Amino acid sequence: MNGKFGGILLSFFGAGVAIFLGELFPFLGFSIFALLLGIAVRRFIRIPEWLSTGLNQVGKNGLQYSILFLGFTLSFSQVSAIGLSSLKLSLFTIFIAFVTAYFLVEN
C-alpha cells in the first residue's frame, strides 16, 4: 500500500471516529470532533512520513471540496431558519475548540 492511499485511508478512519463521537454528543457535532481529533493526533502521535502525502492531500483538497459542496446544500432560507440560536451555539463551540487547541499546542 503506497503512502498516498494509506494517508487517505487514515483520514477516512479519523472521519469515521469523529462521526461516531458526533452521534454520541450531537450538541457538538462531528466537525468539532474531527478538528480536535486532528489536532490531538498531530500533537501526540508521530505520523510516519510515508502517510504524509495522502494526509496533506486530504487536508488541502478535501477540505476545500467539502466546504464547496456544503455550500451547495444550503439555501438562504435554511440559513435564516436556523437563526441566532444556532449562531450562539456555533460561536460557543468554536470558542471551546480554539481553547482546547491552544492548550494542546502549548503543553
Side-chain angles (χ1 to χ4, degrees):
M1 172 168 42
N2 66 17
K4 189 174 185 179
F5 179 72
I8 293 170
L9 191 63
L10 180 62
S11 69
F12 277 110
F13 175 75
V17 171
I19 290 170
F20 175 75
L21 292 172
E23 299 226 351
L24 285 176
F25 305 99
F27 56 92
L28 288 177
F30 69 89
S31 58
I32 296 301
F33 284 110
L35 176 69
L36 293 176
L37 183 63
I39 291 170
V41 165
R42 284 286 188 180
R43 174 76 170 111
F44 298 114
I45 298 173
R46 189 177 185 305
I47 302 295
E49 189 65 34
W50 61 274
L51 291 174
S52 294
T53 305
L55 286 174
N56 290 337
Q57 182 175 358
V58 170
K60 181 181 177 193
N61 297 335
L63 181 61
Q64 290 174 354
Y65 290 132
S66 65
I67 292 171
L68 175 72
F69 290 129
L70 177 64
F72 284 133
T73 63
L74 295 175
S75 67
F76 287 113
S77 61
Q78 288 174 318
V79 173
S80 64
I82 293 172
L84 287 177
S85 62
S86 178
L87 178 63
K88 291 175 190 175
L89 179 62
S90 296
L91 290 176
F92 175 73
T93 305
I94 291 169
F95 173 76
I96 295 298
F98 279 126
V99 168
T100 305
Y102 174 79
F103 285 112
L104 285 174
V105 171
E106 285 296 314
N107 295 323

